[in-house]
């Protein structure tokens, strides 16, 4: 069977391939410590799990659900955004729950991109932005991010380019993979840039509540709804990665366009998961404080490990990763991580999987228990 031409434009996801290699080493008996993946190893709160269990017994739990999610889920999302970001959202037409924010990248791209449209993609940045762009036969066009510029785009330089074919721009603040944040003034600059150039700007925002004291949303910027969408997720904030609960937020016209795609691709999110998501979104301040305590302790230990390697890092970065710069004269990022994998039985991510500007960098995940980080340190 001959596959579709579009498959020639993308490769298998790096972690899909690399984890097969890692599993092979584990099957050989090697004590691999996996610090490469940002998949929370912690559990959701007991309240969330209790709500899920009880919801299974509801008489309507096993029926098809609304494409737009339960009204009470949309209300919980709206309340969460108002409390945490001071953003007002209409529960009827400005919120669309998703089966994880990753599917939202595809839905948004299918709703707004035609063949040949150009898409601005951060380098470094989440690889899925580029692969989805290629799958829908649009053209990825990277914009540079650098340590020297605080991992924020040079919008003046971008504005001087021919942007006539650019329809969509991806950004993610707090930034993945570097952990850089953007000030409200910088977010305002992004919104102004998008409006002036008639570009739909999408901020991918799943890391706002991990080791950050000032959660921000691009929708809090005046006028942002005119030209912006925001993706968010319960995966990192509430340890619910496998539940696949996300959301896209924006004005009614853009949300309805995405709904046209989504309604042709699934039949609604499982009732019990939606009820559990509502409980998570209603979590009190203690949940966020406890989560930060765990990740802060892990990060302090991870800094010790990075120091052993001789790499450097930004103490102001947020999120569940440590983005580290290799020492001068090191091997390439991929050679370096392969050396750690085979010499020390430690797997971390090379910066190059996030783009060419990731060369010379490596990324450590904090989704690793303290005893394993200590064991990794001892291997040096």
């Amino acid at each position: 069977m001959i596959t579709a031409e579009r498959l020639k434009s993308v490769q298998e996801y790096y972690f899909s391939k690399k984890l097969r290699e890692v599993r092979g080493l584990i099957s050989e008996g090697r004590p691999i410590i996996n610090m490469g993946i940002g998949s929370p190893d912690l559990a959701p709160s007991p309240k969330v799990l209790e709500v899920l269990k009880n919801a299974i017994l509801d008489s309507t739990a096993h029926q098809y659900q609304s494409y737009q999610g339960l009204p009470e889920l949309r209300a919980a999302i709206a309340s969460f955004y108002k409390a945490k970001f001071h953003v007002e959202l209409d529960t009827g037409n400005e919120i669309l729950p998703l089966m994880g924010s990753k599917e939202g990248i595809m839905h948004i791209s299918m709703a707004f991109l035609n063949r040949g449209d150009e898409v601005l993609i951060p380098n470094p940045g989440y690889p899925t932005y580029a692969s989805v762009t290629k799958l829908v036969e649009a053209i990825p066009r990277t914009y540079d991010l650098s340590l020297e510029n605080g991992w924020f785009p040079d919008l003046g330089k971008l504005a001087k380019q021919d942007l006539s074919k650019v329809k969509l721009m991806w950004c993610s603040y707090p930034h993945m993979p570097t952990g850089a944040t953007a000030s409200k003034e910088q977010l305002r600059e992004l919104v102004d840039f998008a409006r002036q150039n008639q570009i739909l700007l999408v901020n991918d925002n799943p890391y706002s509540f991990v080791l950050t004291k000032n959660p921000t949303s691009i929708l809090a910027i005046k006028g942002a709804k005119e030209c912006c969408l925001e993706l968010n997720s319960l995966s990192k904030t509430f340890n619910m990665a496998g539940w696949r609960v996300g959301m896209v937020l924006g004005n009614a016209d853009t949300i309805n366009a995405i709904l046209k795609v989504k309604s042709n691709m699934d039949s609604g999110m499982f009732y019990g998961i939606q009820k559990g998501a509502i409980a998570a979104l209603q979590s009190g301040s203690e949940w966020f404080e406890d989560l930060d305590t765990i990740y802060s302790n892990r990060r302090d230990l991870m800094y010790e490990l990075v120091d052993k390697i001789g790499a450097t890092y930004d103490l102001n970065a947020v999120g569940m990763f440590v983005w580290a710069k290799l020492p001068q004269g090191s091997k390439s990022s991929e050679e370096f991580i392969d050396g750690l994998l085979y010499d020390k039985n430690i797997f971390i991510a090379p910066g190059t999987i996030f783009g060419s500007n990731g060369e010379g960098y490596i990324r450590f995940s904090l989704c690793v228990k303290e005893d394993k980080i200590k064991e990794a340190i001892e291997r040096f």
Side-chain angles (χ1 to χ4, degrees):
M1 180 62 68
I2 300 173
T3 58
E5 286 292 315
R6 69 177 62 88
L7 287 188
K8 295 178 181 177
S9 69
V10 295
Q11 301 295 320
E12 183 182 2
Y13 196 47
Y14 172 86
F15 284 121
S16 175
K17 293 187 293 184
K18 198 66 179 179
L19 287 177
R20 278 201 302 273
E21 181 181 343
V22 171
R23 285 193 295 269
L25 293 173
I26 292 171
S27 69
E28 294 171 5
R30 300 188 64 154
I32 305 295
I33 299 175
N34 187 347
M35 297 179 166
I37 308 297
S39 178
D41 61 313
L42 304 167
S45 74
K47 172 68 174 177
V48 169
L49 298 178
E50 185 66 25
V51 168
L52 171 65
K53 287 189 287 186
N54 292 337
I56 290 173
L57 302 177
D58 193 292
S59 60
T60 63
H62 308 289
Q63 299 173 355
Y64 288 124
Q65 301 297 315
S66 166
Y67 299 112
Q68 294 177 281
L70 294 170
E72 53 264 45
L73 173 57
R74 298 197 304 277
I77 293 170
S79 295
F80 183 85
Y81 255 72
K82 184 175 182 179
K84 303 298 184 184
F85 298 119
H86 308 293
V87 171
E88 298 276 355
L89 293 163
D90 187 317
T91 60
N93 54 29
E94 293 186 334
I95 300 170
L96 182 61
L98 303 168
M99 293 182 187
S101 59
K102 190 173 184 178
E103 79 154 10
I105 298 172
M106 175 61 83
H107 291 347
I108 292 167
S109 298
M110 293 185 72
F112 294 102
L113 295 175
N114 294 313
R115 178 184 295 178
D117 284 341
E118 294 181 352
V119 181
L120 291 174
I121 294 171
N123 177 14
Y126 187 34
T128 298
Y129 304 144
S131 58
V132 166
T133 298
K134 292 173 184 176
L135 284 171
V136 300
E137 300 182 88
I139 301 170
R141 189 168 149 184
T142 58
Y143 60 90
D144 289 327
L145 303 179
S146 67
L147 175 64
E148 293 72 26
N149 206 42
W151 305 108
F152 190 77
D154 185 337
L155 296 176
K157 181 179 178 181
L158 266 180
K160 294 175 183 177
Q161 299 177 15
D162 180 5
L163 303 174
S164 59
K165 293 183 179 180
V166 175
K167 196 167 184 183
L168 189 63
M169 178 177 182
W170 293 100
C171 66
S172 62
Y173 291 102
H175 183 246
M176 202 290 290
T178 69
T181 56
S183 66
K184 287 188 176 179
E185 181 55 40
Q186 287 176 315
L187 292 178
R188 187 174 295 110
E189 290 173 13
L190 279 168
V191 171
D192 290 343
F193 173 82
R195 185 189 299 111
Q196 291 162 9
N197 293 283
Q198 296 184 307
I199 294 171
L200 177 61
L201 175 67
V202 188
N203 187 46
D204 194 5
N205 191 17
Y207 295 100
S208 274
F209 296 95
V210 180
L211 296 174
T212 176
K213 301 301 180 187
N214 298 298
T216 55
S217 165
I218 203 162
L219 296 180
I221 303 302
K222 185 177 181 181
K225 284 185 189 177
E226 298 171 18
C227 59
C228 298
L229 289 167
E230 182 154 280
L231 287 170
N232 215 319
S233 166
L234 274 61
S235 295
K236 277 69 177 180
T237 304
F238 298 107
N239 303 328
M240 296 167 69
W243 291 50
R244 309 312 304 134
V245 183
M247 63 205 77
V248 59
L249 316 154
N251 69 49
D253 290 340
T254 53
I255 294 300
N256 285 333
I258 299 165
L259 179 60
K260 285 184 181 180
V261 174
K262 178 177 168 58
S263 62
N264 282 287
M265 296 184 71
D266 67 57
S267 296
M269 191 187 305
F270 176 55
Y271 176 84
I273 286 177
Q274 293 190 69
K275 298 294 281 188
I278 293 166
L281 289 163
Q282 294 171 344
S283 298
S285 59
E286 184 178 347
W287 168 261
F288 300 94
E289 292 165 4
D290 289 347
L291 193 68
D292 270 2
T293 297
I294 292 169
Y295 281 125
S296 181
N297 292 338
R298 291 179 177 187
R299 185 173 62 180
D300 288 343
L301 284 171
M302 199 67 81
Y303 287 158
E304 289 186 39
L305 177 60
V306 181
D307 288 339
K308 291 278 187 182
I309 291 171
T312 54
Y313 45 86
D314 180 4
L315 290 169
N316 295 315
V318 304
M320 57 172 50
F321 304 104
V322 173
W323 177 254
K325 187 171 185 176
L326 290 170
Q328 192 79 20
S330 292
K331 298 177 180 178
S332 71
S333 295
E334 293 193 20
E335 288 176 312
F336 189 91
I337 71 108
D338 279 343
L340 282 185
L341 178 59
Y342 285 91
D343 295 341
K344 302 292 185 183
N345 293 310
I346 298 170
F347 172 53
I348 56 176
T352 46
I353 67 175
F354 306 105
S356 60
N357 288 345
E359 181 57 82
Y361 291 88
I362 50 179
R363 192 193 72 172
F364 298 76
S365 170
L366 299 181
C367 301
V368 186
K369 290 183 169 47
E370 289 185 34
D371 62 331
K372 285 296 180 183
I373 305 174
K374 291 176 181 177
E375 183 182 339
I377 294 170
E378 290 169 2
R379 293 182 185 180
F380 288 85

